[in-house]
Amino acid sequence: MKENKETVRPVFPFTAIVGQEEMKLALMLNVIDPKIGGVMIMGDRGTGKSTTIRAIADLLPEIEVVKDDLFNSHPSDIDLMSDENKQALQNGINIETSYIKVPMVDLPLGATEDRVCGTIDIEKALTEGIKSFEPGLLAKANRGILYVDEVNLLDDHLVDILLDSAASGWNTVEREGISIRHPARFVLVGSGNPEEGELRPQLLDRFGMHAEIRTVKDPELRVQIVEQRTSFDQDPKKCIQNCEEDQNKLKKQIVDAQLLLSTITIDYDLRVKISQVCGELDVDGLRGDIVTNRAAKAYAALNGKQTVNSSDISKVITLCLRHRLRKDPLETMDSGEKVKKVFDKIFDIEEI
């Protein structure tokens, strides 16, 4: 086991990443509450999108799984275990468990539907009467993070499949009358460069959050980023050791927030104001309201608070709503600014 650890490629520490606070916050909140619905990260090339996503997966504590299970099944949570394990649990069979790192699955651009969803071996089913399933990337990503780089270049049909699985927490594969279902609860993270084309509005709306990142302009900050990266490339071990204390502190903060999340409350009048903001911004559907409520609770949990206040909402509302606004080609104001303006108006006027 030790030998294996040495051969694993070192991952840049999450706490060593300079700047890009919006992206880091969106990822942390989704890890605390995966039901937020994932995050779409849009930004310039070379802004550390992939590095940050790999770093958050590496930061998370190991999870307990059913040993040698193809779907990283949870040993006791029925929503996160395969039907076979559920059956075994109901029959009182003792389930052996082990610990693994949180799965981080990269979806290649050229992936086929079979590679994503998995395939059923029809021949085996017909000749031997056995349901033989070759798991796909959705099975591997259960209870982890599924990362799609250049999601705006991915086939719309595949994006639909990913979003459906992320929303329902299950993946169903049907072929020739044979059906197999398995848990697929993961944080979906998409990234892309707006210059290469936008995602369709109805697909964009399905992502819980939308983080926009820009190239850092401040020369001192740029130097700091270059120095951090250079020191990691020269001696990854030393860089990881230097960040160990900060990493452990943040890891504990995230774990505590996950445990605290179910107890957090948000007052009725604040929920009404969130819906007022969504109404004034003419946001279609209720997804914006739901996600903002969830994200505000996750943000309060991250800061160890029991109740949500308006400053918690202000930190997350732009991330939750900016991609849900109807685009007006003549509009000069950035969508994030628009959300902030309406938020300030509704929250401040009524609180003065």
Side-chain angles (χ1 to χ4, degrees):
M1 192 75 182
K2 199 175 178 193
E3 192 180 83
N4 191 25
K5 263 192 170 172
E6 294 301 316
T7 56
V8 172
R9 195 166 149 217
V11 176
F12 193 80
F14 188 78
T15 52
I17 294 165
V18 179
Q20 309 302 12
E21 299 307 320
E22 199 174 273
M23 168 169 60
K24 292 195 287 193
L25 178 64
L27 289 169
M28 284 194 287
L29 296 181
N30 271 280
V31 161
I32 291 165
D33 183 3
K35 287 184 179 167
I36 285 171
V39 57
M40 177 70 190
I41 300 164
M42 273 292 191
D44 305 329
R45 290 180 297 273
T47 43
K49 297 189 285 281
S50 306
T51 303
T52 310
I53 293 150
R54 286 189 180 83
I56 188 90
D58 190 61
L59 173 78
L60 300 172
E62 292 189 336
I63 54 169
E64 191 180 9
V65 296
V66 173
K67 200 174 182 189
D68 302 327
D69 183 76
L70 296 170
F71 314 112
N72 311 319
S73 289
H74 195 285
S76 57
D77 186 340
I78 285 170
D79 284 341
L80 297 172
M81 64 167 69
S82 63
D83 292 338
E84 291 81 4
N85 287 305
K86 217 179 285 179
Q87 199 67 51
L89 195 72
Q90 281 163 1
N91 296 340
I93 296 166
N94 197 27
I95 294 173
E96 217 182 321
T97 65
S98 62
Y99 282 85
I100 62 162
K101 281 195 80 62
V102 168
M104 160 76 197
V105 176
D106 266 304
L107 183 88
L109 258 184
T112 59
E113 189 180 333
D114 281 354
R115 179 78 187 98
V116 173
C117 299
T119 50
I120 297 168
D121 190 333
I122 293 296
E123 203 177 322
K124 214 171 192 178
L126 295 175
T127 55
E128 299 171 42
I130 302 167
K131 270 191 184 182
S132 177
F133 180 63
E134 181 64 41
L137 295 173
L138 293 180
K140 284 196 176 82
N142 186 35
R143 300 179 64 204
I145 295 171
L146 181 64
Y147 174 46
V148 190
D149 194 9
E150 309 290 1
V151 70
N152 43 341
L153 302 181
L154 195 67
D155 181 58
D156 279 350
H157 170 59
L158 276 183
V159 179
D160 263 330
I161 290 170
L162 295 178
L163 290 162
D164 281 340
S165 294
S168 68
W170 290 89
N171 173 42
T172 306
V173 182
E174 293 200 9
R175 204 168 153 219
E176 313 288 341
I178 297 166
S179 174
I180 284 179
R181 192 178 84 123
H182 70 77
R185 183 79 56 85
F186 50 82
V187 175
L188 180 64
V189 182
S191 74
N193 183 349
E195 288 171 15
E196 288 159 357
E198 289 285 341
L199 208 58
R200 290 204 331 251
Q202 59 269 49
L203 292 180
L204 202 50
D205 175 62
R206 300 271 295 277
F207 279 91
M209 292 180 148
H210 188 285
E212 283 184 5
I213 49 175
R214 297 277 168 262
T215 306
V216 176
K217 297 281 188 278
D218 181 353
E220 285 181 18
L221 210 52
R222 287 175 81 119
V223 169
Q224 204 181 328
I225 295 166
V226 172
E227 281 173 356
Q228 283 279 35
R229 186 73 230 189
T230 309
S231 71
F232 177 78
D233 290 342
Q234 283 171 351
D235 192 345
K237 223 177 200 174
K238 193 181 172 198
C239 184
I240 289 166
Q241 276 170 356
N242 292 343
C243 294
E244 199 169 0
E245 197 182 320
D246 289 341
Q247 289 276 99
N248 288 336
K249 210 163 138 190
L250 186 56
K251 192 184 286 189
K252 185 182 184 308
Q253 199 182 343
I254 287 171
V255 172
D256 290 348
Q258 287 170 333
L259 297 171
L260 189 63
L261 186 66
S262 60
T263 66
I264 300 217
T265 56
I266 175 165
D267 287 343
Y268 177 73
D269 63 324
L270 289 180
R271 296 203 300 270
V272 169
K273 285 180 188 177
I274 288 170
S275 292
Q276 261 182 285
V277 173
C278 293
E280 187 142 336
L281 287 167
D282 203 14
V283 172
D284 286 336
L286 292 172
R287 206 172 267 135
D289 308 49
I290 293 164
V291 170
T292 306
N293 277 280
R294 279 194 172 281
K297 284 184 178 180
Y299 186 80
L302 183 65
N303 293 292
K305 295 195 294 193
Q306 281 292 338
T307 52
V308 172
N309 62 27
S310 51
S311 73
D312 299 324
I313 299 165
S314 75
K315 293 283 191 295
V316 301
I317 197 161
T318 304
L319 283 166
C320 301
L321 298 182
R322 65 148 64 96
H323 56 303
R324 304 178 198 279
L325 307 191
R326 291 183 185 180
K327 286 220 168 24
D328 179 354
L330 302 172
E331 187 87 68
T332 52
M333 189 187 281
D334 167 54
S335 57
E337 285 296 312
K338 204 172 171 186
V339 173
K340 195 178 178 317
K341 198 177 168 190
V342 173
F343 171 85
D344 287 347
K345 184 180 119 182
I346 285 170
F347 276 73
D348 288 340
I349 286 172
E350 296 201 24
E351 280 176 11
I352 286 168

